[in-house]
Amino acid sequence: MNYDKLDKRARKILQVNDRGLYTVPTKGLYPYQWNWDSAFCAWGIATYDVRRAWAEIETLFTGQWDNGMVPHIVFHKQAIGYFPGPDVWDVPRVPHTSGITQPPIAATMARSVYEQDKHYGRVHMELLYGRLVSWHRWFVKYRLHDGMVAITHPWESGRDNAVDWDGAMANVDGSNVGEYTRRDTAHIDPEMRPKKEDYDRYLTMLYFSRDCGWDEDEIAKNAPFRVADVGMTFLFLRACRDLLHLALELDHETDEIQGWITTLKGGVERHWNAEHGHYDSIDLRTGEFANSLSTGSFLCWYAGIDHPQMLAHYERIMGVVPFGVPSNDPAASTFNPKRYWRGPTWSNVNALIAIGLAEMHHITKAEELRKATQSLIAEHGFFEYFDPYIGTPEGGDNFSWTAAIWLTWASPHAKGRF
């Protein structure tokens, strides 16, 4: 295998998807700047151009709202035909943005970019730090529920159609959203994307929040969907720990951040589904567990949380799939190896899980997962996601975060993988 050639191809993908100051996930399918995609891209770009990596993060934060929220999409330029576009979100600001957020991994990735070159990055980190704190405060003020992170729309999770949301989604009426045309199914086989009935419900949630002026208090009380997302809780806990590291590095106060970490660790305990023996999401409207063992559950190690039953689940699943952690338990009746977050494996999530495993001293398992992801990308390409059994590439091609994961972690030439 010519790994030098693959390294060059990964860099080329990020450069082709570069729009000057931000990177699109892939041409055509996703024409704007997506929040956590962009953070992954910055991590990858920093392996060859630290200055451009800082520009990526800083451009993302031009979309930050006055209340601290960093939206999941920043609409820098108009892309004809994309739905739902800025006119649908109707957020009265420039640059135009969506009205919801996404996993807050920016602090984690900014730390990684900073550590690539602390001399150059010091000023950038000082300027960004306050914005990161503001975003984290927004989460604490509006989205913490008994220490768990609540999402108001499945798109906020980054795992749009995960099984975690099925119970809560069933209580959302999507019958009155009217006609619309999706762009994703024009680019990708519809069998690999969320179903129409899912999209109808997504739009119902969007319209509710838009029509109340994105009022977080009203959304918390009356929106049709509110779920404590186990994956989001783990990612936010990790981000707060990385923010604490940055606070110490920059000689800022740490008491507030340490308090957040304590609160989130308490929330992790509430995510434990004792009946099924794994970390799980909770429908906050009904109080019911999702009874879903998903990749969100396996982000526990990345958050610094170890648990023997989670390790047993991991070993069982990895014993039947060769290409990394599937987004849904293969033993579940809902498992689908081709449909988005209901079964396929994702290189970016593989990386986060493996990094967590290594940090929790499960070194052999972490290295096995890295090698599996390395083989997956080397043999099947830089796609959005893959069939976990046979590695069939699915979703968008020339995908930015897959390229970034290759450069930072999966390639044999990646430095500081863990």
Short mmCIF file of all heavy atoms in Angstrom, two decimals, residues 20-23 32-35 38 52 54-77 91-98 106 127-128 131-132 135:
data_model
loop_
_atom_site.label_atom_id
_atom_site.label_comp_id
_atom_site.label_asym_id
_atom_site.label_seq_id
_atom_site.Cartn_x
_atom_site.Cartn_y
_atom_site.Cartn_z
N GLY A 20 -11.48 29.03 0.99
CA GLY A 20 -10.75 30.24 1.34
C GLY A 20 -10.45 30.33 2.81
O GLY A 20 -9.29 30.28 3.23
N LEU A 21 -11.50 30.45 3.62
CA LEU A 21 -11.34 30.53 5.07
C LEU A 21 -12.09 29.43 5.81
O LEU A 21 -12.07 29.40 7.04
CB LEU A 21 -11.80 31.91 5.57
CG LEU A 21 -10.97 33.10 5.09
CD1 LEU A 21 -11.61 34.41 5.53
CD2 LEU A 21 -9.53 33.02 5.62
N TYR A 22 -12.79 28.60 5.07
CA TYR A 22 -13.49 27.47 5.68
C TYR A 22 -13.52 26.32 4.69
O TYR A 22 -13.28 26.50 3.49
CB TYR A 22 -14.92 27.85 6.09
CG TYR A 22 -15.84 28.19 4.94
CD1 TYR A 22 -16.69 27.23 4.39
CD2 TYR A 22 -15.87 29.47 4.39
CE1 TYR A 22 -17.54 27.53 3.34
CE2 TYR A 22 -16.71 29.78 3.35
CZ TYR A 22 -17.53 28.82 2.81
OH TYR A 22 -18.37 29.12 1.77
N THR A 23 -13.83 25.13 5.19
CA THR A 23 -13.82 23.91 4.38
C THR A 23 -15.21 23.31 4.38
O THR A 23 -15.82 23.12 5.45
CB THR A 23 -12.82 22.89 4.96
OG1 THR A 23 -11.55 23.53 5.12
CG2 THR A 23 -12.67 21.69 4.04
N TYR A 32 -21.86 24.26 2.68
CA TYR A 32 -21.60 25.33 3.64
C TYR A 32 -20.58 24.89 4.68
O TYR A 32 -19.95 23.84 4.55
CB TYR A 32 -22.91 25.75 4.31
CG TYR A 32 -23.96 26.30 3.36
CD1 TYR A 32 -25.13 25.58 3.09
CD2 TYR A 32 -23.79 27.53 2.75
CE1 TYR A 32 -26.09 26.08 2.23
CE2 TYR A 32 -24.75 28.04 1.88
CZ TYR A 32 -25.90 27.32 1.63
OH TYR A 32 -26.85 27.82 0.77
N GLN A 33 -20.40 25.71 5.71
CA GLN A 33 -19.50 25.35 6.80
C GLN A 33 -20.30 24.72 7.92
O GLN A 33 -21.16 25.37 8.53
CB GLN A 33 -18.74 26.58 7.33
CG GLN A 33 -17.72 26.24 8.40
CD GLN A 33 -16.90 27.44 8.87
OE1 GLN A 33 -17.35 28.58 8.79
NE2 GLN A 33 -15.70 27.18 9.39
N TRP A 34 -20.03 23.46 8.20
CA TRP A 34 -20.68 22.74 9.29
C TRP A 34 -19.77 22.76 10.51
O TRP A 34 -18.55 22.62 10.40
CB TRP A 34 -20.99 21.30 8.89
CG TRP A 34 -22.39 21.10 8.41
CD1 TRP A 34 -23.43 20.59 9.12
CD2 TRP A 34 -22.91 21.41 7.11
NE1 TRP A 34 -24.57 20.56 8.35
CE2 TRP A 34 -24.28 21.05 7.11
CE3 TRP A 34 -22.37 21.95 5.95
CZ2 TRP A 34 -25.11 21.21 6.01
CZ3 TRP A 34 -23.18 22.12 4.85
CH2 TRP A 34 -24.53 21.75 4.87
N ASN A 35 -20.39 22.89 11.67
CA ASN A 35 -19.69 23.13 12.92
C ASN A 35 -18.66 22.05 13.26
O ASN A 35 -17.46 22.31 13.28
CB ASN A 35 -20.75 23.26 14.03
CG ASN A 35 -20.21 23.68 15.36
OD1 ASN A 35 -19.13 23.32 15.76
ND2 ASN A 35 -20.99 24.45 16.10
N SER A 38 -16.06 21.22 10.60
CA SER A 38 -15.02 22.23 10.47
C SER A 38 -13.95 22.05 11.55
O SER A 38 -12.75 22.23 11.29
CB SER A 38 -15.64 23.62 10.57
OG SER A 38 -14.77 24.60 10.07
N ARG A 52 -3.62 28.12 8.39
CA ARG A 52 -4.92 27.87 7.76
C ARG A 52 -5.87 27.16 8.73
O ARG A 52 -7.08 27.39 8.71
CB ARG A 52 -4.72 27.04 6.48
CG ARG A 52 -6.00 26.64 5.76
CD ARG A 52 -6.82 27.86 5.31
NE ARG A 52 -8.09 27.45 4.74
CZ ARG A 52 -9.16 27.11 5.45
NH1 ARG A 52 -9.11 27.16 6.79
NH2 ARG A 52 -10.28 26.75 4.85
N TRP A 54 -6.04 27.64 11.98
CA TRP A 54 -6.61 28.67 12.85
C TRP A 54 -7.70 29.45 12.13
O TRP A 54 -8.73 29.79 12.71
CB TRP A 54 -5.52 29.61 13.35
CG TRP A 54 -4.79 29.08 14.54
CD1 TRP A 54 -3.48 28.72 14.61
CD2 TRP A 54 -5.34 28.85 15.83
NE1 TRP A 54 -3.17 28.25 15.86
CE2 TRP A 54 -4.29 28.33 16.64
CE3 TRP A 54 -6.60 29.01 16.40
CZ2 TRP A 54 -4.48 27.97 17.98
CZ3 TRP A 54 -6.79 28.66 17.73
CH2 TRP A 54 -5.75 28.15 18.51
N ALA A 55 -7.48 29.73 10.84
CA ALA A 55 -8.49 30.45 10.07
C ALA A 55 -9.80 29.66 10.02
O ALA A 55 -10.89 30.24 10.07
CB ALA A 55 -7.98 30.73 8.66
N GLU A 56 -9.70 28.34 9.93
CA GLU A 56 -10.88 27.48 9.89
C GLU A 56 -11.73 27.67 11.15
O GLU A 56 -12.95 27.88 11.08
CB GLU A 56 -10.44 26.02 9.77
CG GLU A 56 -11.58 25.03 9.58
CD GLU A 56 -12.15 25.01 8.17
OE1 GLU A 56 -11.40 25.34 7.23
OE2 GLU A 56 -13.33 24.67 8.03
N ILE A 57 -11.08 27.61 12.30
CA ILE A 57 -11.81 27.72 13.56
C ILE A 57 -12.35 29.13 13.75
O ILE A 57 -13.50 29.34 14.14
CB ILE A 57 -10.90 27.33 14.74
CG1 ILE A 57 -10.45 25.88 14.61
CG2 ILE A 57 -11.63 27.53 16.07
CD1 ILE A 57 -9.40 25.46 15.62
N GLU A 58 -11.53 30.11 13.45
CA GLU A 58 -11.95 31.49 13.64
C GLU A 58 -13.11 31.87 12.73
O GLU A 58 -14.01 32.62 13.11
CB GLU A 58 -10.75 32.42 13.42
CG GLU A 58 -9.72 32.29 14.54
CD GLU A 58 -8.35 32.84 14.19
OE1 GLU A 58 -8.12 33.21 13.02
OE2 GLU A 58 -7.49 32.87 15.09
N THR A 59 -13.12 31.32 11.51
CA THR A 59 -14.22 31.57 10.59
C THR A 59 -15.51 30.94 11.10
O THR A 59 -16.59 31.52 10.99
CB THR A 59 -13.89 31.05 9.19
OG1 THR A 59 -12.69 31.68 8.74
CG2 THR A 59 -15.01 31.35 8.20
N LEU A 60 -15.41 29.75 11.69
CA LEU A 60 -16.58 29.13 12.29
C LEU A 60 -17.19 30.04 13.35
O LEU A 60 -18.42 30.21 13.42
CB LEU A 60 -16.21 27.78 12.92
CG LEU A 60 -17.30 27.08 13.73
CD1 LEU A 60 -18.48 26.71 12.85
CD2 LEU A 60 -16.74 25.85 14.43
N PHE A 61 -16.36 30.68 14.15
CA PHE A 61 -16.86 31.51 15.24
C PHE A 61 -17.35 32.88 14.78
O PHE A 61 -17.90 33.61 15.60
CB PHE A 61 -15.79 31.62 16.33
CG PHE A 61 -15.83 30.47 17.29
CD1 PHE A 61 -15.26 29.25 16.96
CD2 PHE A 61 -16.48 30.56 18.51
CE1 PHE A 61 -15.31 28.17 17.82
CE2 PHE A 61 -16.55 29.50 19.39
CZ PHE A 61 -15.96 28.29 19.05
N THR A 62 -17.24 33.20 13.50
CA THR A 62 -17.92 34.41 13.01
C THR A 62 -19.43 34.21 13.02
O THR A 62 -20.19 35.18 12.95
CB THR A 62 -17.48 34.78 11.57
OG1 THR A 62 -17.88 33.74 10.65
CG2 THR A 62 -15.98 35.00 11.49
N GLY A 63 -19.87 32.95 13.11
CA GLY A 63 -21.29 32.66 13.19
C GLY A 63 -21.83 32.62 14.60
O GLY A 63 -23.04 32.38 14.80
N GLN A 64 -20.99 32.84 15.61
CA GLN A 64 -21.44 32.75 17.00
C GLN A 64 -22.49 33.80 17.31
O GLN A 64 -22.34 34.97 16.97
CB GLN A 64 -20.25 32.90 17.95
CG GLN A 64 -20.60 32.65 19.41
CD GLN A 64 -19.36 32.56 20.29
OE1 GLN A 64 -18.33 33.20 20.02
NE2 GLN A 64 -19.44 31.77 21.35
N TRP A 65 -23.55 33.39 17.98
CA TRP A 65 -24.63 34.30 18.37
C TRP A 65 -24.22 35.11 19.59
O TRP A 65 -23.30 34.75 20.33
CB TRP A 65 -25.89 33.51 18.69
CG TRP A 65 -26.56 32.90 17.50
CD1 TRP A 65 -26.02 32.69 16.25
CD2 TRP A 65 -27.89 32.39 17.45
NE1 TRP A 65 -26.94 32.09 15.43
CE2 TRP A 65 -28.10 31.89 16.14
CE3 TRP A 65 -28.92 32.30 18.38
CZ2 TRP A 65 -29.31 31.32 15.75
CZ3 TRP A 65 -30.13 31.72 17.99
CH2 TRP A 65 -30.32 31.24 16.69
N ASP A 66 -24.95 36.18 19.85
CA ASP A 66 -24.66 37.03 21.00
C ASP A 66 -24.83 36.28 22.32
O ASP A 66 -24.18 36.61 23.31
CB ASP A 66 -25.58 38.26 21.00
CG ASP A 66 -25.26 39.23 19.87
OD1 ASP A 66 -24.15 39.12 19.29
OD2 ASP A 66 -26.11 40.08 19.56
N ASN A 67 -25.69 35.26 22.34
CA ASN A 67 -25.89 34.50 23.58
C ASN A 67 -24.83 33.42 23.78
O ASN A 67 -24.86 32.69 24.77
CB ASN A 67 -27.29 33.88 23.62
CG ASN A 67 -27.52 32.83 22.53
OD1 ASN A 67 -26.61 32.47 21.78
ND2 ASN A 67 -28.75 32.33 22.44
N GLY A 68 -23.88 33.30 22.83
CA GLY A 68 -22.78 32.34 22.95
C GLY A 68 -22.91 31.11 22.08
O GLY A 68 -21.92 30.40 21.86
N MET A 69 -24.10 30.81 21.60
CA MET A 69 -24.31 29.60 20.81
C MET A 69 -23.54 29.67 19.49
O MET A 69 -23.53 30.70 18.82
CB MET A 69 -25.80 29.41 20.52
CG MET A 69 -26.15 28.03 19.97
SD MET A 69 -26.14 27.94 18.16
CE MET A 69 -27.73 28.65 17.77
N VAL A 70 -22.90 28.57 19.14
CA VAL A 70 -22.25 28.45 17.83
C VAL A 70 -23.11 27.51 17.00
O VAL A 70 -23.28 26.34 17.35
CB VAL A 70 -20.81 27.91 17.95
CG1 VAL A 70 -20.16 27.83 16.57
CG2 VAL A 70 -19.99 28.80 18.88
N PRO A 71 -23.70 27.99 15.91
CA PRO A 71 -24.68 27.20 15.16
C PRO A 71 -24.05 26.05 14.38
O PRO A 71 -22.85 26.00 14.16
CB PRO A 71 -25.30 28.23 14.21
CG PRO A 71 -24.26 29.28 14.07
CD PRO A 71 -23.54 29.34 15.38
N HIS A 72 -24.92 25.14 13.94
CA HIS A 72 -24.40 23.96 13.26
C HIS A 72 -24.05 24.23 11.81
O HIS A 72 -23.23 23.51 11.24
CB HIS A 72 -25.36 22.78 13.44
CG HIS A 72 -26.37 22.50 12.37
ND1 HIS A 72 -27.38 23.38 12.02
CD2 HIS A 72 -26.55 21.41 11.58
CE1 HIS A 72 -28.14 22.84 11.08
NE2 HIS A 72 -27.65 21.65 10.79
N ILE A 73 -24.61 25.28 11.20
CA ILE A 73 -24.24 25.68 9.84
C ILE A 73 -24.04 27.19 9.81
O ILE A 73 -24.84 27.94 10.37
CB ILE A 73 -25.32 25.33 8.80
CG1 ILE A 73 -25.70 23.84 8.83
CG2 ILE A 73 -24.84 25.69 7.39
CD1 ILE A 73 -26.87 23.49 7.91
N VAL A 74 -22.97 27.61 9.13
CA VAL A 74 -22.77 29.02 8.81
C VAL A 74 -22.88 29.14 7.29
O VAL A 74 -22.13 28.51 6.54
CB VAL A 74 -21.41 29.55 9.29
CG1 VAL A 74 -21.30 31.06 9.03
CG2 VAL A 74 -21.21 29.25 10.78
N PHE A 75 -23.85 29.96 6.84
CA PHE A 75 -24.13 30.12 5.41
C PHE A 75 -23.31 31.30 4.87
O PHE A 75 -23.82 32.40 4.71
CB PHE A 75 -25.62 30.37 5.19
CG PHE A 75 -26.52 29.27 5.68
CD1 PHE A 75 -27.29 29.44 6.84
CD2 PHE A 75 -26.62 28.07 5.00
CE1 PHE A 75 -28.15 28.44 7.28
CE2 PHE A 75 -27.48 27.06 5.44
CZ PHE A 75 -28.23 27.24 6.59
N HIS A 76 -22.05 31.06 4.56
CA HIS A 76 -21.18 32.15 4.11
C HIS A 76 -21.55 32.64 2.72
O HIS A 76 -21.49 33.83 2.44
CB HIS A 76 -19.72 31.70 4.11
CG HIS A 76 -19.18 31.41 5.46
ND1 HIS A 76 -18.95 32.39 6.40
CD2 HIS A 76 -18.83 30.23 6.06
CE1 HIS A 76 -18.46 31.84 7.50
NE2 HIS A 76 -18.38 30.53 7.33
N LYS A 77 -21.92 31.71 1.83
CA LYS A 77 -22.27 32.05 0.45
C LYS A 77 -23.54 31.30 0.08
O LYS A 77 -23.79 30.21 0.57
CB LYS A 77 -21.15 31.67 -0.52
CG LYS A 77 -19.84 32.42 -0.30
CD LYS A 77 -18.79 31.96 -1.29
CE LYS A 77 -17.47 32.68 -1.09
NZ LYS A 77 -16.44 32.20 -2.04
N VAL A 91 -32.78 33.26 10.43
CA VAL A 91 -32.06 33.82 11.58
C VAL A 91 -31.58 35.22 11.20
O VAL A 91 -30.80 35.37 10.26
CB VAL A 91 -30.87 32.92 11.97
CG1 VAL A 91 -30.03 33.58 13.06
CG2 VAL A 91 -31.36 31.55 12.43
N PRO A 92 -32.03 36.27 11.92
CA PRO A 92 -31.74 37.65 11.54
C PRO A 92 -30.34 38.11 11.94
O PRO A 92 -30.16 38.92 12.85
CB PRO A 92 -32.82 38.45 12.27
CG PRO A 92 -33.09 37.64 13.50
CD PRO A 92 -32.92 36.20 13.10
N ARG A 93 -29.34 37.58 11.27
CA ARG A 93 -27.96 37.99 11.54
C ARG A 93 -27.12 37.75 10.29
O ARG A 93 -27.53 37.03 9.39
CB ARG A 93 -27.39 37.24 12.74
CG ARG A 93 -27.11 35.78 12.45
CD ARG A 93 -26.46 35.02 13.59
NE ARG A 93 -25.35 35.69 14.20
CZ ARG A 93 -24.12 35.73 13.71
NH1 ARG A 93 -23.86 35.17 12.54
NH2 ARG A 93 -23.15 36.34 14.36
N VAL A 94 -25.94 38.34 10.25
CA VAL A 94 -24.98 38.14 9.17
C VAL A 94 -23.63 37.80 9.79
O VAL A 94 -23.17 38.51 10.69
CB VAL A 94 -24.88 39.41 8.29
CG1 VAL A 94 -23.83 39.21 7.20
CG2 VAL A 94 -26.23 39.76 7.66
N PRO A 95 -22.95 36.71 9.34
CA PRO A 95 -23.43 35.81 8.30
C PRO A 95 -24.66 35.02 8.76
O PRO A 95 -24.85 34.79 9.96
CB PRO A 95 -22.24 34.88 8.06
CG PRO A 95 -21.49 34.88 9.36
CD PRO A 95 -21.64 36.27 9.90
N HIS A 96 -25.47 34.63 7.79
CA HIS A 96 -26.65 33.83 8.10
C HIS A 96 -26.21 32.47 8.66
O HIS A 96 -25.18 31.92 8.28
CB HIS A 96 -27.50 33.61 6.85
CG HIS A 96 -28.07 34.89 6.30
ND1 HIS A 96 -28.97 35.66 7.00
CD2 HIS A 96 -27.87 35.52 5.11
CE1 HIS A 96 -29.30 36.71 6.28
NE2 HIS A 96 -28.65 36.66 5.13
N THR A 97 -27.02 31.96 9.58
CA THR A 97 -26.72 30.67 10.19
C THR A 97 -27.99 29.88 10.37
O THR A 97 -29.10 30.39 10.22
CB THR A 97 -26.08 30.85 11.59
OG1 THR A 97 -27.08 31.30 12.52
CG2 THR A 97 -24.92 31.84 11.57
N SER A 98 -27.82 28.62 10.74
CA SER A 98 -28.95 27.83 11.23
C SER A 98 -29.27 28.28 12.65
O SER A 98 -28.58 29.14 13.21
CB SER A 98 -28.60 26.34 11.20
OG SER A 98 -27.54 26.06 12.11
N ALA A 106 -15.02 21.99 19.42
CA ALA A 106 -14.07 23.03 19.00
C ALA A 106 -12.96 23.24 20.03
O ALA A 106 -11.80 23.45 19.65
CB ALA A 106 -14.81 24.34 18.74
N LEU A 127 -7.30 34.83 21.83
CA LEU A 127 -8.47 35.50 21.25
C LEU A 127 -9.68 34.57 21.18
O LEU A 127 -10.82 35.00 21.33
CB LEU A 127 -8.13 36.02 19.86
CG LEU A 127 -7.13 37.19 19.82
CD1 LEU A 127 -6.71 37.48 18.37
CD2 LEU A 127 -7.71 38.44 20.46
N LEU A 128 -9.44 33.29 20.93
CA LEU A 128 -10.53 32.32 20.80
C LEU A 128 -11.07 31.88 22.16
O LEU A 128 -12.26 31.54 22.27
CB LEU A 128 -10.05 31.10 20.01
CG LEU A 128 -11.08 30.00 19.76
CD1 LEU A 128 -12.18 30.49 18.81
CD2 LEU A 128 -10.42 28.75 19.18
N ARG A 131 -14.41 33.13 23.45
CA ARG A 131 -15.53 32.64 22.63
C ARG A 131 -15.89 31.20 22.99
O ARG A 131 -17.06 30.83 23.03
CB ARG A 131 -15.19 32.76 21.15
CG ARG A 131 -15.17 34.21 20.64
CD ARG A 131 -14.82 34.24 19.15
NE ARG A 131 -15.00 35.56 18.58
CZ ARG A 131 -16.12 36.00 18.04
NH1 ARG A 131 -17.19 35.22 18.02
NH2 ARG A 131 -16.21 37.21 17.53
N LEU A 132 -14.87 30.39 23.24
CA LEU A 132 -15.12 29.01 23.66
C LEU A 132 -15.84 28.97 25.00
O LEU A 132 -16.81 28.23 25.18
CB LEU A 132 -13.80 28.24 23.75
CG LEU A 132 -13.09 27.93 22.44
CD1 LEU A 132 -11.67 27.42 22.70
CD2 LEU A 132 -13.87 26.91 21.62
N TRP A 135 -19.49 29.84 24.56
CA TRP A 135 -20.29 28.74 24.00
C TRP A 135 -20.58 27.70 25.07
O TRP A 135 -21.70 27.21 25.21
CB TRP A 135 -19.55 28.12 22.82
CG TRP A 135 -20.37 27.13 22.03
CD1 TRP A 135 -21.73 27.00 22.02
CD2 TRP A 135 -19.86 26.13 21.13
NE1 TRP A 135 -22.10 25.98 21.16
CE2 TRP A 135 -20.98 25.44 20.61
CE3 TRP A 135 -18.59 25.77 20.72
CZ2 TRP A 135 -20.85 24.40 19.69
CZ3 TRP A 135 -18.45 24.74 19.80
CH2 TRP A 135 -19.58 24.06 19.29
#
